[in-house]
PDB file of all heavy atoms in Angstrom:
ATOM      1  N   THR A 712     124.611 -54.330  26.154  1.00  0.00           N
ATOM      2  CA  THR A 712     123.799 -54.566  27.338  1.00  0.00           C
ATOM      3  C   THR A 712     124.516 -55.511  28.295  1.00  0.00           C
ATOM      4  O   THR A 712     124.611 -55.250  29.502  1.00  0.00           O
ATOM      5  CB  THR A 712     122.434 -55.150  26.940  1.00  0.00           C
ATOM      6  OG1 THR A 712     121.798 -54.295  25.996  1.00  0.00           O
ATOM      7  CG2 THR A 712     121.535 -55.325  28.141  1.00  0.00           C
ATOM      8  N   LEU A 715     127.655 -53.994  29.888  1.00  0.00           N
ATOM      9  CA  LEU A 715     127.310 -53.097  30.986  1.00  0.00           C
ATOM     10  C   LEU A 715     126.975 -53.903  32.248  1.00  0.00           C
ATOM     11  O   LEU A 715     127.355 -53.518  33.359  1.00  0.00           O
ATOM     12  CB  LEU A 715     126.123 -52.221  30.587  1.00  0.00           C
ATOM     13  CG  LEU A 715     125.662 -51.176  31.621  1.00  0.00           C
ATOM     14  CD1 LEU A 715     126.815 -50.276  32.042  1.00  0.00           C
ATOM     15  CD2 LEU A 715     124.517 -50.350  31.070  1.00  0.00           C
ATOM     16  N   ALA A 716     126.309 -55.027  32.075  1.00  0.00           N
ATOM     17  CA  ALA A 716     126.020 -55.902  33.238  1.00  0.00           C
ATOM     18  C   ALA A 716     127.312 -56.434  33.832  1.00  0.00           C
ATOM     19  O   ALA A 716     127.460 -56.501  35.061  1.00  0.00           O
ATOM     20  CB  ALA A 716     125.110 -57.046  32.810  1.00  0.00           C
ATOM     21  N   GLN A 719     128.904 -53.926  35.906  1.00  0.00           N
ATOM     22  CA  GLN A 719     128.211 -53.735  37.194  1.00  0.00           C
ATOM     23  C   GLN A 719     128.388 -54.907  38.143  1.00  0.00           C
ATOM     24  O   GLN A 719     127.840 -54.904  39.249  1.00  0.00           O
ATOM     25  CB  GLN A 719     126.728 -53.491  36.946  1.00  0.00           C
ATOM     26  CG  GLN A 719     126.436 -52.189  36.221  1.00  0.00           C
ATOM     27  CD  GLN A 719     124.952 -51.950  35.985  1.00  0.00           C
ATOM     28  OE1 GLN A 719     124.100 -52.807  36.305  1.00  0.00           O
ATOM     29  NE2 GLN A 719     124.596 -50.806  35.447  1.00  0.00           N
ATOM     30  N   ILE A 770     116.275 -58.848  27.589  1.00  0.00           N
ATOM     31  CA  ILE A 770     115.312 -57.902  28.196  1.00  0.00           C
ATOM     32  C   ILE A 770     115.510 -57.866  29.717  1.00  0.00           C
ATOM     33  O   ILE A 770     115.515 -56.808  30.343  1.00  0.00           O
ATOM     34  CB  ILE A 770     113.880 -58.307  27.839  1.00  0.00           C
ATOM     35  CG1 ILE A 770     113.593 -58.030  26.362  1.00  0.00           C
ATOM     36  CG2 ILE A 770     112.872 -57.590  28.726  1.00  0.00           C
ATOM     37  CD1 ILE A 770     113.430 -56.583  26.024  1.00  0.00           C
ATOM     38  N   ARG A 771     115.678 -59.035  30.316  1.00  0.00           N
ATOM     39  CA  ARG A 771     115.866 -59.084  31.776  1.00  0.00           C
ATOM     40  C   ARG A 771     117.159 -58.369  32.178  1.00  0.00           C
ATOM     41  O   ARG A 771     117.204 -57.644  33.188  1.00  0.00           O
ATOM     42  CB  ARG A 771     115.900 -60.528  32.244  1.00  0.00           C
ATOM     43  CG  ARG A 771     114.556 -61.251  32.136  1.00  0.00           C
ATOM     44  CD  ARG A 771     114.657 -62.654  32.759  1.00  0.00           C
ATOM     45  NE  ARG A 771     113.490 -63.458  32.568  1.00  0.00           N
ATOM     46  CZ  ARG A 771     112.405 -63.460  33.353  1.00  0.00           C
ATOM     47  NH1 ARG A 771     112.357 -62.641  34.387  1.00  0.00           N
ATOM     48  NH2 ARG A 771     111.380 -64.256  33.083  1.00  0.00           N
ATOM     49  N   VAL A 772     118.223 -58.572  31.392  1.00  0.00           N
ATOM     50  CA  VAL A 772     119.493 -57.920  31.717  1.00  0.00           C
ATOM     51  C   VAL A 772     119.384 -56.413  31.521  1.00  0.00           C
ATOM     52  O   VAL A 772     119.934 -55.623  32.305  1.00  0.00           O
ATOM     53  CB  VAL A 772     120.635 -58.510  30.868  1.00  0.00           C
ATOM     54  CG1 VAL A 772     121.938 -57.775  31.108  1.00  0.00           C
ATOM     55  CG2 VAL A 772     120.821 -60.000  31.181  1.00  0.00           C
ATOM     56  N   ALA A 773     118.668 -55.988  30.469  1.00  0.00           N
ATOM     57  CA  ALA A 773     118.460 -54.544  30.244  1.00  0.00           C
ATOM     58  C   ALA A 773     117.735 -53.922  31.434  1.00  0.00           C
ATOM     59  O   ALA A 773     118.066 -52.807  31.863  1.00  0.00           O
ATOM     60  CB  ALA A 773     117.690 -54.320  28.943  1.00  0.00           C
ATOM     61  N   ARG A 774     116.759 -54.620  31.953  1.00  0.00           N
ATOM     62  CA  ARG A 774     116.039 -54.119  33.114  1.00  0.00           C
ATOM     63  C   ARG A 774     116.944 -54.053  34.325  1.00  0.00           C
ATOM     64  O   ARG A 774     116.854 -53.143  35.153  1.00  0.00           O
ATOM     65  CB  ARG A 774     114.837 -55.025  33.393  1.00  0.00           C
ATOM     66  CG  ARG A 774     113.871 -54.504  34.438  1.00  0.00           C
ATOM     67  CD  ARG A 774     112.585 -55.317  34.420  1.00  0.00           C
ATOM     68  NE  ARG A 774     111.573 -54.754  35.289  1.00  0.00           N
ATOM     69  CZ  ARG A 774     111.318 -55.186  36.530  1.00  0.00           C
ATOM     70  NH1 ARG A 774     112.021 -56.200  37.031  1.00  0.00           N
ATOM     71  NH2 ARG A 774     110.381 -54.640  37.255  1.00  0.00           N
ATOM     72  N   MET A 775     117.853 -55.011  34.443  1.00  0.00           N
ATOM     73  CA  MET A 775     118.769 -55.065  35.558  1.00  0.00           C
ATOM     74  C   MET A 775     119.753 -53.894  35.532  1.00  0.00           C
ATOM     75  O   MET A 775     119.998 -53.247  36.551  1.00  0.00           O
ATOM     76  CB  MET A 775     119.534 -56.388  35.550  1.00  0.00           C
ATOM     77  CG  MET A 775     120.507 -56.566  36.683  1.00  0.00           C
ATOM     78  SD  MET A 775     121.422 -58.131  36.545  1.00  0.00           S
ATOM     79  CE  MET A 775     122.619 -57.657  35.293  1.00  0.00           C
ATOM     80  N   VAL A 776     120.315 -53.586  34.361  1.00  0.00           N
ATOM     81  CA  VAL A 776     121.313 -52.500  34.275  1.00  0.00           C
ATOM     82  C   VAL A 776     120.660 -51.125  34.251  1.00  0.00           C
ATOM     83  O   VAL A 776     121.292 -50.138  34.592  1.00  0.00           O
ATOM     84  CB  VAL A 776     122.214 -52.664  33.044  1.00  0.00           C
ATOM     85  CG1 VAL A 776     122.939 -54.002  33.092  1.00  0.00           C
ATOM     86  CG2 VAL A 776     121.435 -52.523  31.737  1.00  0.00           C
ATOM     87  N   GLY A 777     119.396 -51.059  33.842  1.00  0.00           N
ATOM     88  CA  GLY A 777     118.681 -49.792  33.783  1.00  0.00           C
ATOM     89  C   GLY A 777     118.767 -49.175  32.395  1.00  0.00           C
ATOM     90  O   GLY A 777     119.854 -49.025  31.829  1.00  0.00           O
ATOM     91  N   ILE A 778     117.633 -48.793  31.824  1.00  0.00           N
ATOM     92  CA  ILE A 778     117.607 -48.265  30.473  1.00  0.00           C
ATOM     93  C   ILE A 778     118.314 -46.904  30.377  1.00  0.00           C
ATOM     94  O   ILE A 778     119.060 -46.677  29.410  1.00  0.00           O
ATOM     95  CB  ILE A 778     116.153 -48.155  29.962  1.00  0.00           C
ATOM     96  CG1 ILE A 778     115.522 -49.547  29.916  1.00  0.00           C
ATOM     97  CG2 ILE A 778     116.108 -47.529  28.579  1.00  0.00           C
ATOM     98  CD1 ILE A 778     116.313 -50.538  29.071  1.00  0.00           C
ATOM     99  N   PRO A 779     118.204 -45.995  31.336  1.00  0.00           N
ATOM    100  CA  PRO A 779     119.013 -44.766  31.237  1.00  0.00           C
ATOM    101  C   PRO A 779     120.494 -45.056  31.193  1.00  0.00           C
ATOM    102  O   PRO A 779     121.240 -44.423  30.422  1.00  0.00           O
ATOM    103  CB  PRO A 779     118.611 -43.988  32.503  1.00  0.00           C
ATOM    104  CG  PRO A 779     117.231 -44.481  32.829  1.00  0.00           C
ATOM    105  CD  PRO A 779     117.245 -45.928  32.477  1.00  0.00           C
ATOM    106  N   ASN A 780     120.974 -46.001  32.001  1.00  0.00           N
ATOM    107  CA  ASN A 780     122.396 -46.354  31.986  1.00  0.00           C
ATOM    108  C   ASN A 780     122.787 -46.964  30.644  1.00  0.00           C
ATOM    109  O   ASN A 780     123.854 -46.666  30.089  1.00  0.00           O
ATOM    110  CB  ASN A 780     122.716 -47.354  33.098  1.00  0.00           C
ATOM    111  CG  ASN A 780     122.635 -46.746  34.481  1.00  0.00           C
ATOM    112  OD1 ASN A 780     122.803 -45.539  34.634  1.00  0.00           O
ATOM    113  ND2 ASN A 780     122.400 -47.563  35.478  1.00  0.00           N
ATOM    114  N   LEU A 781     121.932 -47.829  30.105  1.00  0.00           N
ATOM    115  CA  LEU A 781     122.229 -48.465  28.823  1.00  0.00           C
ATOM    116  C   LEU A 781     122.272 -47.433  27.708  1.00  0.00           C
ATOM    117  O   LEU A 781     123.181 -47.451  26.864  1.00  0.00           O
ATOM    118  CB  LEU A 781     121.177 -49.538  28.512  1.00  0.00           C
ATOM    119  CG  LEU A 781     121.307 -50.234  27.155  1.00  0.00           C
ATOM    120  CD1 LEU A 781     122.666 -50.886  26.991  1.00  0.00           C
ATOM    121  CD2 LEU A 781     120.173 -51.242  26.961  1.00  0.00           C
ATOM    122  N   LEU A 782     121.317 -46.513  27.694  1.00  0.00           N
ATOM    123  CA  LEU A 782     121.283 -45.489  26.660  1.00  0.00           C
ATOM    124  C   LEU A 782     122.538 -44.609  26.735  1.00  0.00           C
ATOM    125  O   LEU A 782     123.147 -44.288  25.706  1.00  0.00           O
ATOM    126  CB  LEU A 782     120.023 -44.639  26.787  1.00  0.00           C
ATOM    127  CG  LEU A 782     119.853 -43.525  25.764  1.00  0.00           C
ATOM    128  CD1 LEU A 782     119.820 -44.088  24.347  1.00  0.00           C
ATOM    129  CD2 LEU A 782     118.566 -42.741  26.062  1.00  0.00           C
ATOM    130  N   SER A 783     122.942 -44.217  27.929  1.00  0.00           N
ATOM    131  CA  SER A 783     124.140 -43.412  28.095  1.00  0.00           C
ATOM    132  C   SER A 783     125.370 -44.153  27.592  1.00  0.00           C
ATOM    133  O   SER A 783     126.239 -43.580  26.929  1.00  0.00           O
ATOM    134  CB  SER A 783     124.328 -43.041  29.574  1.00  0.00           C
ATOM    135  OG  SER A 783     125.533 -42.353  29.796  1.00  0.00           O
ATOM    136  N   THR A 784     125.464 -45.456  27.896  1.00  0.00           N
ATOM    137  CA  THR A 784     126.594 -46.263  27.434  1.00  0.00           C
ATOM    138  C   THR A 784     126.616 -46.363  25.912  1.00  0.00           C
ATOM    139  O   THR A 784     127.682 -46.270  25.286  1.00  0.00           O
ATOM    140  CB  THR A 784     126.530 -47.661  28.062  1.00  0.00           C
ATOM    141  OG1 THR A 784     126.590 -47.551  29.489  1.00  0.00           O
ATOM    142  CG2 THR A 784     127.672 -48.544  27.571  1.00  0.00           C
ATOM    143  N   ALA A 797     115.220 -42.077  27.472  1.00  0.00           N
ATOM    144  CA  ALA A 797     115.240 -43.523  27.734  1.00  0.00           C
ATOM    145  C   ALA A 797     113.839 -44.099  27.797  1.00  0.00           C
ATOM    146  O   ALA A 797     113.587 -45.223  27.364  1.00  0.00           O
ATOM    147  CB  ALA A 797     115.981 -43.792  29.044  1.00  0.00           C
ATOM    148  N   GLY A 801     112.405 -47.664  26.193  1.00  0.00           N
ATOM    149  CA  GLY A 801     112.026 -48.725  27.117  1.00  0.00           C
ATOM    150  C   GLY A 801     112.945 -49.923  26.997  1.00  0.00           C
ATOM    151  O   GLY A 801     114.066 -49.853  26.489  1.00  0.00           O
ATOM    152  N   LEU A 802     112.468 -51.067  27.476  1.00  0.00           N
ATOM    153  CA  LEU A 802     113.288 -52.275  27.490  1.00  0.00           C
ATOM    154  C   LEU A 802     113.630 -52.764  26.084  1.00  0.00           C
ATOM    155  O   LEU A 802     114.616 -53.471  25.886  1.00  0.00           O
ATOM    156  CB  LEU A 802     112.541 -53.376  28.247  1.00  0.00           C
ATOM    157  CG  LEU A 802     112.351 -53.159  29.751  1.00  0.00           C
ATOM    158  CD1 LEU A 802     111.397 -54.179  30.335  1.00  0.00           C
ATOM    159  CD2 LEU A 802     113.689 -53.198  30.476  1.00  0.00           C
ATOM    160  N   LEU A 804     115.003 -51.292  23.861  1.00  0.00           N
ATOM    161  CA  LEU A 804     116.253 -50.693  23.367  1.00  0.00           C
ATOM    162  C   LEU A 804     117.302 -51.760  23.110  1.00  0.00           C
ATOM    163  O   LEU A 804     118.010 -51.715  22.095  1.00  0.00           O
ATOM    164  CB  LEU A 804     116.779 -49.677  24.391  1.00  0.00           C
ATOM    165  CG  LEU A 804     118.101 -48.982  24.046  1.00  0.00           C
ATOM    166  CD1 LEU A 804     117.976 -48.180  22.753  1.00  0.00           C
ATOM    167  CD2 LEU A 804     118.536 -48.080  25.201  1.00  0.00           C
TER     168      LEU A 804
END
Side-chain angles (χ1 to χ4, degrees):
T712 304
L715 182 55
Q719 294 180 356
I770 289 287
R771 292 185 187 274
V772 176
R774 189 167 187 262
M775 181 183 78
V776 301
I778 298 304
N780 290 336
L781 176 58
L782 180 59
S783 175
T784 299
L802 293 170
L804 179 61

